[in-house]
Amino acid sequence: MTPLPGHPQLAWRDDELWLEDVRLAALAQAYGTPLFAYSKASMLAALSAYQRGLAGRKATICYAMKANSSLAVLQVFAQAGCGFDIVSGGELERVLRAGADPARVIFSGVGKTRAEMRRALEVGIGCFNVESESELDVLDEVARACGRVAPVSIRVNPNVDAKTHPYISTGLKGNKFGIAHERALHAYRHAAGLRGLSVVGIDCHIGSQITDTAPYLDAMDRVLDLVQAIEAAGIPLKHIDFGGGLGIDYRGDTPPAADALWAQLLARLDARGYGDRHLMIEPGRSLVGNAGVCLTEVLYLKPGEQKNFCIVDAAMNDLPRPAMYQAWHGIVPLHRDAQRVPQRYDVVGPVCESGDWIGQDRELAVRPGELLAVLSAGAYCMSMASNYNSRGRAAEVLVDGAEATLIRARESIEDQLRSERLIG
Ligand SMILES: *Cc1c(COP(=O)(O)O)cnc(C)c1O
């Protein structure tokens, strides 16, 4: 048994690829392709790194569910004691269905609607992470109108560079997220004066796929400076939320382990005298990214003058990250054959867009009808999937030891057409 580097639950047994104790080719046969398969052990291992890192502290780990919002995935985290970070009313309904405790749910996002606020207040949400001064006023109004007091934290923008892709960097001055560091104290004073709000915390989130400790330490220092100023102004803060954003190994990336990162952050927090506060974190990608693979069948091999194409049955609607961020995903055959000579291919889907590629210039020894696994597909794949080209969304399976459970059936054409109406 040879585990794949960075994917401890994924291993070669003889020449077949297995996820935990399930042979992936057997899953593809049973459920068809494209198919997402997730390892429960891998999710729980990723979570336990955070739990170890925060052991002995007052802390809540809020899974940022936009990374993968499938109900059964949410259940895994809810049953393991996680809270959730949500960014829409739809996500709120999903976590409630999955059995989450609403008091452990925090509501982030720059554009919450009044209806979303009302519903979150009704169910007793743990905290609103407010992202603008006008949102404070609207939330105050909505809360008073329904006779409630909204627990709030203000998302501050610490203006640190997370050194990640510009589309997933969120803590810089030019980003739409949070309230500028310089305005934060003013915003807190304003919030503290509103009767419909109860100030409970502060939060930041500086970006995603962060592979370095330094931006976290910088952000922590900036946030603690603010905590000091806000409390000096007579506004006590119960919790400090440091967001998510820890990266995963897609292609030899070397992010710090969650427990190692937190050892450093807690040392800094203790040194500054804030180690006894209630800590919150919002990890998404690092809990699920490397727990998932997407299985796909090779449809055609198409040799060309400049490039050879390996056309597969998964596409940008299933795996949007390459098209959106030029992201890199490992691609490996489910059956390896050392006798064959690999060829160089662009692995592409059937969607009518030149941006519909899954991997470029990959050495593969495959034939039509054979199966591939696209790696690191647990985060920001299924949750971003669309029906572009009227393609039904893929099925999903949760693997737990030797057991595989279908957690989402393949979307049928009836599912796709259900809400549409002909004009007569
Ligand atoms: C997306 C998001 C996260 C999670 O980011 P990851 O990179 O997936 O860990 C956390 N907090 C907020 C507010 C987010 O928008």
Side-chain angles (χ1 to χ4, degrees):
M1 206 167 93
T2 325
L4 264 63
H7 303 267
Q9 310 301 335
L10 210 51
W12 294 108
R13 296 190 192 179
D14 299 322
D15 287 319
E16 299 282 313
L17 194 61
W18 291 59
L19 183 65
E20 299 194 25
D21 296 319
V22 171
R23 192 170 60 91
L24 286 172
L27 277 187
Q29 213 151 40
Y31 300 106
T33 53
L35 177 73
F36 285 92
Y38 308 118
S39 154
K40 183 177 174 187
S42 174
M43 292 184 222
L44 292 178
L47 175 63
S48 74
Y50 281 100
Q51 289 167 331
R52 276 196 308 277
L54 293 165
R57 306 282 175 154
K58 285 179 285 179
T60 309
I61 300 169
C62 292
Y63 167 52
M65 64 172 282
K66 73 178 189 288
N68 187 321
S69 50
S70 299
L71 287 177
V73 171
L74 301 179
Q75 276 183 300
V76 169
F77 290 111
Q79 287 166 10
C82 284
F84 294 89
D85 174 65
I86 63 166
V87 291
S88 75
E91 289 196 343
L92 177 58
E93 299 308 326
R94 278 182 176 274
V95 283
L96 295 176
R97 291 292 167 92
D101 172 5
R104 291 161 68 79
V105 177
I106 54 182
F107 196 165
S108 301
V110 293
K112 302 175 195 79
T113 65
R114 284 164 197 266
E116 287 173 326
M117 291 172 176
R118 217 171 287 128
R119 174 73 176 143
L121 284 166
E122 261 169 35
V123 303
I125 196 124
C127 185
F128 290 88
N129 287 349
V130 174
E131 302 222 14
S132 64
E133 292 173 65
S134 30
E135 185 189 336
L136 284 174
D137 292 326
V138 171
L139 182 57
D140 171 57
E141 195 186 304
V142 172
R144 281 188 290 114
C146 55
R148 313 231 172 193
V149 175
V152 297
S153 152
I154 292 181
R155 176 171 177 179
V156 298
N157 183 336
N159 193 28
V160 300
D161 187 354
K163 299 194 179 61
T164 184
H165 188 283
Y167 284 11
I168 50 178
S169 154
T170 57
L172 281 166
K173 271 189 178 169
N175 296 129
K176 71 178 176 184
F177 298 101
I179 290 180
H181 194 266
E182 301 72 35
R183 287 290 293 179
L185 181 56
H186 176 86
Y188 267 97
R189 284 207 168 99
H190 181 58
L194 296 172
R195 277 190 301 116
L197 307 184
S198 157
V199 174
V200 295
I202 187 166
D203 73 284
C204 74
H205 170 69
I206 55 175
S208 199
Q209 187 52 20
I210 301 169
T211 53
D212 193 5
T213 311
Y216 279 108
L217 285 167
D218 291 349
M220 177 174 271
D221 274 330
R222 305 269 295 162
V223 169
L224 294 182
D225 291 347
L226 273 177
V227 172
Q228 205 172 346
I230 293 161
E231 296 195 329
I235 304 166
L237 299 174
K238 278 189 228 145
H239 78 247
I240 311 178
D241 176 349
F242 293 102
L246 183 59
I248 60 168
D249 177 6
Y250 284 104
R251 189 190 190 179
D253 306 289
T254 52
D259 46 354
L261 171 69
W262 275 96
Q264 286 194 50
L265 288 171
L266 290 172
R268 177 74 58 101
L269 206 61
D270 288 340
R272 293 197 54 176
Y274 293 100
D276 60 343
R277 297 305 171 95
H278 190 121
L279 307 176
M280 314 247 282
I281 54 169
E282 306 165 355
R285 185 192 313 271
S286 52
L287 292 181
V288 289
N290 272 338
V293 293
C294 179
L295 308 183
T296 182
E297 183 184 327
V298 176
L299 298 175
Y300 303 101
L301 295 176
K302 182 170 167 178
E305 258 177 44
Q306 296 189 347
K307 291 212 170 230
N308 300 316
F309 293 99
C310 171
I311 302 168
V312 299
D313 67 358
M316 65 187 286
N317 72 300
D318 307 296
L319 294 161
R321 297 186 64 259
M324 267 187 88
Y325 319 111
Q326 283 88 48
W328 198 94
H329 284 271
I331 302 173
V332 294
L334 295 193
H335 174 81
R336 62 179 181 182
D337 182 349
Q339 307 302 314
R340 291 201 209 155
V341 183
Q343 286 221 342
R344 179 167 296 194
Y345 294 102
D346 275 12
V347 179
V348 301
V351 163
C352 303
E353 295 279 345
S354 295
D356 180 28
W357 53 270
I358 292 167
Q360 293 176 320
D361 297 318
R362 303 302 178 87
E363 300 286 334
L364 291 168
V366 283
R367 294 177 185 156
E370 294 182 345
L371 297 162
L372 301 173
V374 180
L375 307 184
S376 312
Y380 301 108
C381 292
M382 191 60 185
S383 60
M384 287 179 132
S386 77
N387 291 124
Y388 189 37
N389 280 209
S390 292
R391 290 167 52 86
R393 282 175 297 170
E396 294 179 296
V397 165
L398 184 70
V399 169
D400 182 9
E403 225 177 284
T405 310
L406 184 69
I407 59 168
R408 184 195 298 259
R410 187 169 303 287
E411 196 175 21
S412 69
I413 189 63
E414 285 311 317
D415 295 331
Q416 278 196 65
L417 296 179
R418 184 160 298 128
S419 53
E420 293 189 44
R421 301 288 179 270
L422 292 167
I423 53 173

